[in-house]
Amino acid sequence: MQYRVTHTTKYAYSEPVPVCHNKLHLAPRTHFNQRCSDFRLLVIPEPAAIVSSHDYFGNRTDYFSLTDAHRGLSVTASSSMEVIDTGELLAMHVDTSWEAVQSATASLHSDDALELQLLTFASDYIPVGEAYADYARPSFAADRAIVDAITDLTRRIHEEFDYDPRTTNVSTPVEQVLAQKSGVCQDFAHFQIACLRSVGLAARYVSGYLRTVPPAGKPRLVGADASHAWLSVYCGEVGWIDFDPTNNTICGTDYITIAHGRDYGDVCPIQGVFLGGGDHSMSVYVDVEAIETEK
């Protein structure tokens, strides 16, 4: 699949903002199943400079500051993408047990071992502990193939948790999500990662976009697509496979990865600080347009 992606975030302030500093994770990654052929960033008011680098996980990170008074800020990221569906294909070739992957992850000594083992521990937004291991255990029977176990855990979260944006916010702890069994995609990804890390597997948080398909006979609504969150799990020799508990699926060509890390805090699309501004509001527009259909 080939896509043209537009992500616009706008801020409006009731009083002038004399200065702001911003950090962005809006550039899609290029990796084994997707390629970003063009990325453009438009910031209004225009900053003197936008500085780009890559973080520990290889995500492109852009920084800019505004030092002139302004009452609004608009950030638009435009990308051209190609996505290849490898998730289902990889999953079909994994019969390794989850215990074997767990053991291998703990004993790796390659260049990638540090990142893998880092992703088995708690992080700022994701705890580990017996409560999450207990939830995971019905899916992780002895000698069960790792993809089968994770697929079953994904299904259970999808069936047992309610999608309800009224019950959580960006800072809602995973403990509360488990207790109330409701939340949004960020919460479900954090919770499933907590379960997986608590049984010794390496799992990372993924931010990106999910293309939505209109009902039959209905036109595509421009701007109706969404920022999304899911997770990626290290499954042994085949590497990483992405799972989406919100939609109970292994991720395919409808998913575009922007960044991955330990949790949401590592990959927040826009982070920043500003002075003044009084009351402020934010609006977000995301459009994922397929420019070539699958044949």
Side-chain angles (χ1 to χ4, degrees):
M1 292 293 293
Q2 295 184 11
Y3 294 107
R4 184 179 295 110
V5 182
T6 304
H7 182 155
T8 298
T9 304
K10 293 184 177 182
Y11 300 88
Y13 311 106
S14 63
E15 298 177 9
V17 172
V19 62
C20 69
H21 304 285
N22 301 274
K23 173 183 176 182
L24 313 178
H25 283 110
L26 292 171
R29 294 181 67 102
T30 290
H31 54 49
F32 69 95
N33 75 323
Q34 72 172 35
R35 182 175 67 91
C36 180
S37 59
D38 184 56
F39 175 73
R40 301 183 184 186
L41 195 58
L42 175 65
V43 179
I44 302 173
E46 184 177 1
I50 300 176
V51 178
S52 300
S53 65
H54 287 82
D55 65 17
Y56 174 80
F57 295 101
N59 306 306
R60 172 171 161 171
T61 309
D62 293 286
Y63 302 87
F64 72 88
S65 298
L66 297 175
T67 54
D68 293 326
H70 54 283
R71 286 183 174 269
L73 171 63
S74 174
V75 179
T76 298
S78 302
S79 311
S80 296
M81 300 294 306
E82 181 181 16
V83 182
I84 302 168
D85 187 3
T86 59
E88 292 283 359
L89 180 62
L90 288 176
M92 290 171 58
H93 291 82
V94 180
D95 55 10
T96 308
S97 73
W98 70 270
E99 297 103 324
V101 175
Q102 175 201 59
S103 177
T105 300
S107 59
L108 281 173
H109 296 287
S110 67
D111 291 341
D112 295 329
L114 181 60
E115 179 178 334
L116 276 178
Q117 291 167 4
L118 174 66
L119 293 167
T120 65
F121 291 100
S123 55
D124 289 345
Y125 285 79
I126 300 176
V128 298
E130 279 303 306
Y132 310 106
D134 287 345
Y135 186 92
R137 281 192 183 100
S139 299
F140 286 82
D143 297 323
R144 189 173 192 179
I146 186 168
V147 171
D148 289 346
I150 301 167
T151 299
D152 188 61
L153 177 62
T154 303
R155 174 194 60 79
R156 289 172 51 216
I157 294 171
H158 175 76
E159 293 178 354
E160 297 173 13
F161 287 63
D162 295 324
Y163 186 93
D164 188 346
R166 300 169 300 177
T167 61
T168 59
N169 57 50
V170 69
S171 59
T172 300
V174 173
E175 294 92 332
Q176 181 178 331
V177 175
L178 173 57
Q180 66 192 22
K181 287 188 168 55
S182 65
V184 295
C185 57
Q186 172 188 307
D187 304 304
F188 302 156
H190 278 163
F191 175 69
Q192 185 163 358
I193 293 170
C195 292
L196 293 164
R197 291 180 184 173
S198 294
V199 296
L201 297 174
R204 60 195 183 193
Y205 181 94
V206 185
S207 70
Y209 304 118
L210 173 60
R211 179 181 70 128
T212 57
V213 180
K218 298 292 184 181
R220 190 181 73 89
L221 298 177
V222 175
D225 300 295
S227 294
H228 195 47
W230 59 95
L231 63 138
S232 189
V233 189
Y234 180 70
C235 293
E237 291 184 358
V238 299
W240 298 87
I241 299 178
D242 290 12
F243 297 82
D244 179 6
T246 303
N247 293 291
N248 188 27
T249 188
I250 293 176
C251 301
T253 56
D254 289 335
Y255 293 78
I256 298 171
T257 297
I258 300 299
H260 63 242
R262 295 166 300 174
D263 54 38
Y264 171 80
D266 285 337
V267 298
C268 177
I270 301 180
Q271 294 171 286
V273 294
F274 62 89
L275 299 177
D279 296 330
H280 64 279
S281 61
M282 181 184 73
S283 60
V284 179
Y285 166 101
V286 176
D287 188 55
V288 181
E289 178 188 5
I291 57 177
E292 181 177 309
T293 57
E294 290 180 302
K295 297 179 182 180

